[in-house]
Amino acid sequence: MNKTIDIQALIDSKNGQVTPSIYTDPEIYELELERIFGRCWLFLAHESQIPKAGDFFNTYMGEDPIVVVRQKDGTVKAFLNQCRHRSMRVSYADSGNTKAFTCPYHGWSYATNGELIEVPLEPRAYPQGLCKSKWGLQEVTKVASYKGLIFGTWDENAVSLEEYMGDMAWYLDGVLDRREGGTEIVGGIHKWTIDCNWKFAAEQFASDQYHALFSHASAVQVLGAKPEDEQKALGSGQTPRPVWETAKDAIQFGQDGHGSGFFFTDKPDANVWVDGEVSDYYRETYPEALERLGEIRALRLAGHNTLFPTLSWLNGTATLRVWHPRGPNQVEVWAFCITDKNAPEEVKAAFERSATRAFGPAGFLEQDDSENWVEIQKILRGYRARNSQLCMEMGMGNEKIRDDGVPGITNYIFSETAARGFYQHWANLLSSKTWQEAKAKTDAYQNTLVENSKEVA
Ligand code: FES
Ligand SMILES: [Fe+2]
């Protein structure tokens, strides 16, 4: 790593400025693989994808291929999907069930607990003896689950998953804990690439409701169209008042690199992106959600979220996605449809349809977003563009600590508290040798925000 890069100089969260070379610089990208993806808790799989012993699911931590496997004793382990002989992938299928992983190159076999169990021609090829216990698959240092979501980290000094999530768990519970029985993944996973840096996607889902007004204007107009009688009552050519004008309140949350945004609504109707069956389902299950989550979260049927660094989801729309980095100029999106396990099958199918329609690879909202990111990445090929400061000042100094149960550092939904926090935490991780050092820097930044924040009822 070229030690001349001063990461902290590229992020000025106190004054709300960012230098966009952070989205293009190959050396910064290398450092991200080491210090972000090599250190943070990263989403691996949902428990429902690997229910039985021997079930496996292939994914990535950063660019490292990872196979997640259900063990005989019911626990979950994750391994680097790399043969210890010549680095070949040992597990190929996206997912499945197996007794062993056999490398297709020279045939070394590994048990589902990672042990090297079989080496072809072993006695003749290794007359001196081969210590097989030394050459098992490399195991992901820590694996932990939170309400069905399985995460892993390579950092033995990382804080616990719960501590890592912090107040963000409250927001995630709105999806994971609506109903008895928890959630499951429905159908397959959409996977596609976008020619942009991973941070555009992760930051937008953490912090950017602002773009929806403009980037999604046409979709909002089409989806907001009312049945004839309601339209008559409104007057011809009139559209209903948008949610940001009618909502009782609107909040952005940003802390420890995580971020979220949502409006307070007053009835349990799903947001405009989803099918009628999905809306009906939310109305029918509202009493249960109310009991489990309280009113604010039971009514929170729209909202954007990122758990730092790369797990994002949208309430109501049922899309949960991971942004796998693929070099500084590309991201591979993996989009899962997540629903309540106890939802009827036809409702699950409706969730899957609506998630695909809005946020699948050809989804009408997804397209609006990626169009922006791809164009920005092209612009940043320019030397001057890459080194010009970007404005990230929205809502600066207006942070609030609430006393209505919405936890953490918050702001009005149209602000960039979460974006500033995302990049500050990112810079702290890149410029620190240990997790603890990075966290101390992030805490210091946040303590200032808290001290200066306004209490609101
Ligand atoms: S690379 Fe796997 S057995 Fe040779
Ligand atoms: Fe969007």
Side-chain angles (χ1 to χ4, degrees):
M1 172 62 204
N2 177 351
K3 296 284 184 297
T4 57
I5 295 182
D6 180 358
I7 297 291
Q8 295 286 0
L10 301 172
I11 304 295
D12 181 358
S13 48
K14 288 201 184 73
N15 295 302
Q17 290 188 15
V18 163
T19 307
S21 60
I22 64 164
Y23 303 112
T24 61
D25 189 327
E27 287 185 62
I28 291 181
Y29 181 72
E30 267 309 305
L31 201 58
E32 285 178 336
L33 292 185
E34 178 195 329
R35 296 191 171 177
I36 305 279
F37 296 96
R39 208 183 256 174
C40 292
W41 281 100
L42 302 173
F43 173 71
L44 299 177
H46 191 287
E47 299 265 1
S48 66
Q49 294 178 285
I50 48 166
K52 298 189 300 295
D55 284 352
F56 67 90
F57 178 73
N58 268 302
T59 184
Y60 289 87
M61 292 171 76
E63 299 239 32
D64 284 316
I66 301 292
V67 60
V68 191
V69 204
R70 180 74 64 180
Q71 302 296 300
K72 288 186 184 131
D73 66 1
T75 60
V76 174
K77 287 184 189 288
F79 303 98
L80 193 60
N81 187 356
Q82 176 198 35
C83 181
R84 300 301 301 279
H85 180 227
R86 283 294 182 282
S87 190
M88 189 57 172
R89 204 183 279 272
V90 298
S91 174
Y92 263 83
D94 292 345
S95 60
N97 182 280
T98 191
K99 287 198 166 53
F101 299 108
T102 301
C103 177
Y105 199 172
H106 310 92
W108 285 23
S109 264
Y110 302 86
T112 52
N113 67 0
E115 282 170 22
L116 177 60
I117 45 172
E118 209 39 72
V119 172
L121 300 178
E122 187 186 352
R124 270 186 286 171
Y126 297 89
Q128 78 282 28
L130 176 69
C131 178
K132 291 211 284 296
S133 62
K134 185 174 145 194
W135 294 111
L137 296 176
Q138 291 187 72
E139 188 171 344
V140 175
T141 314
K142 290 185 190 178
V143 170
S145 280
Y146 183 79
K147 298 187 182 180
L149 304 189
I150 304 166
F151 294 81
T153 171
W154 289 110
D155 187 351
E156 60 186 22
N157 296 313
V159 293
S160 71
L161 176 60
E162 268 81 3
E163 199 182 322
Y164 179 88
M165 295 173 82
D167 286 329
M168 193 65 203
W170 183 90
Y171 296 83
L172 185 50
D173 283 353
V175 170
L176 298 180
D177 221 357
R178 273 190 85 74
R179 295 198 63 195
E180 179 71 41
T183 56
E184 68 177 23
I185 299 297
V186 183
I189 301 152
H190 287 126
K191 303 177 181 179
W192 71 99
T193 56
I194 304 173
D195 289 334
C196 72
N197 187 270
W198 66 272
K199 294 188 288 300
F200 288 121
E203 176 226 302
Q204 187 190 283
F205 275 68
S207 187
D208 195 334
Q209 181 67 39
Y210 192 45
H211 80 284
L213 281 65
F214 214 80
S215 282
H216 299 308
S218 55
V220 170
Q221 221 166 22
V222 171
L223 290 161
K226 295 283 152 198
E228 216 175 320
D229 48 336
E230 282 181 46
Q231 187 61 55
K232 245 188 213 146
L234 264 174
S236 95
Q238 298 299 305
T239 45
R241 288 176 65 210
V243 63
W244 47 91
E245 285 177 17
T246 57
K248 288 193 288 187
D249 203 349
I251 291 178
Q252 181 177 101
F253 157 83
Q255 202 166 293
D256 298 332
H258 317 307
S260 179
F262 69 104
F263 297 99
F264 276 62
T265 52
D266 53 8
K267 50 182 191 309
D269 287 343
N271 61 64
V272 291
W273 316 140
V274 299
D275 281 343
E277 293 132 291
V278 170
S279 277
D280 293 344
Y281 173 73
Y282 278 132
R283 273 189 290 269
E284 282 157 21
T285 55
Y286 177 70
E288 185 181 345
L290 181 64
E291 205 182 314
R292 297 175 73 83
L293 299 168
E295 190 185 59
I296 292 173
R297 284 183 298 173
L299 289 171
R300 189 178 177 237
L301 294 166
H304 56 81
N305 312 264
T306 292
L307 181 82
F308 189 89
T310 45
L311 178 68
S312 297
W313 67 95
L314 297 172
N315 299 65
T317 316
T319 184
L320 176 114
R321 63 256 315 273
V322 188
W323 315 104
H324 294 303
R326 293 293 175 261
N329 301 306
Q330 195 178 64
V331 65
E332 188 170 320
V333 189
W334 285 23
F336 303 69
C337 175
I338 186 167
T339 69
D340 297 328
K341 197 170 181 192
N342 285 340
E345 289 308 310
E346 63 275 15
V347 170
K348 288 179 186 171
F351 267 110
E352 205 184 347
R353 276 199 307 277
S354 62
T356 303
R357 194 182 56 179
F359 285 99
F364 54 87
L365 292 156
E366 187 71 43
Q367 293 299 305
D368 296 337
D369 292 324
S370 38
E371 178 80 14
N372 291 323
W373 305 332
V374 169
E375 202 55 33
I376 297 168
Q377 201 70 32
K378 281 187 202 158
I379 287 160
L380 295 182
R381 279 151 67 172
Y383 174 80
R384 183 127 196 136
R386 233 174 15 233
N387 292 292
S388 302
Q389 299 278 291
L390 300 180
C391 172
M392 208 167 276
E393 296 176 17
M394 201 188 305
M396 238 166 49
N398 201 34
E399 280 78 13
K400 295 178 174 69
I401 303 296
R402 304 179 65 95
D403 66 0
D404 59 355
V406 176
I409 299 167
T410 67
N411 205 329
Y412 179 48
I413 195 165
F414 298 119
S415 61
E416 286 166 346
T417 294
R420 288 186 292 273
F422 178 94
Y423 289 110
Q424 186 59 63
H425 189 54
W426 173 88
N428 293 343
L429 278 163
L430 290 193
S431 62
S432 303
K433 289 218 161 52
T434 64
W435 174 265
Q436 280 65 21
E437 186 189 332
K439 179 75 174 107
K441 288 180 193 169
T442 298
D443 286 347
Y445 166 72
Q446 292 178 170
N447 287 342
T448 314
L449 290 185
V450 171
E451 278 157 26
N452 298 336
S453 71
K454 305 166 177 69
E455 284 262 344
V456 289

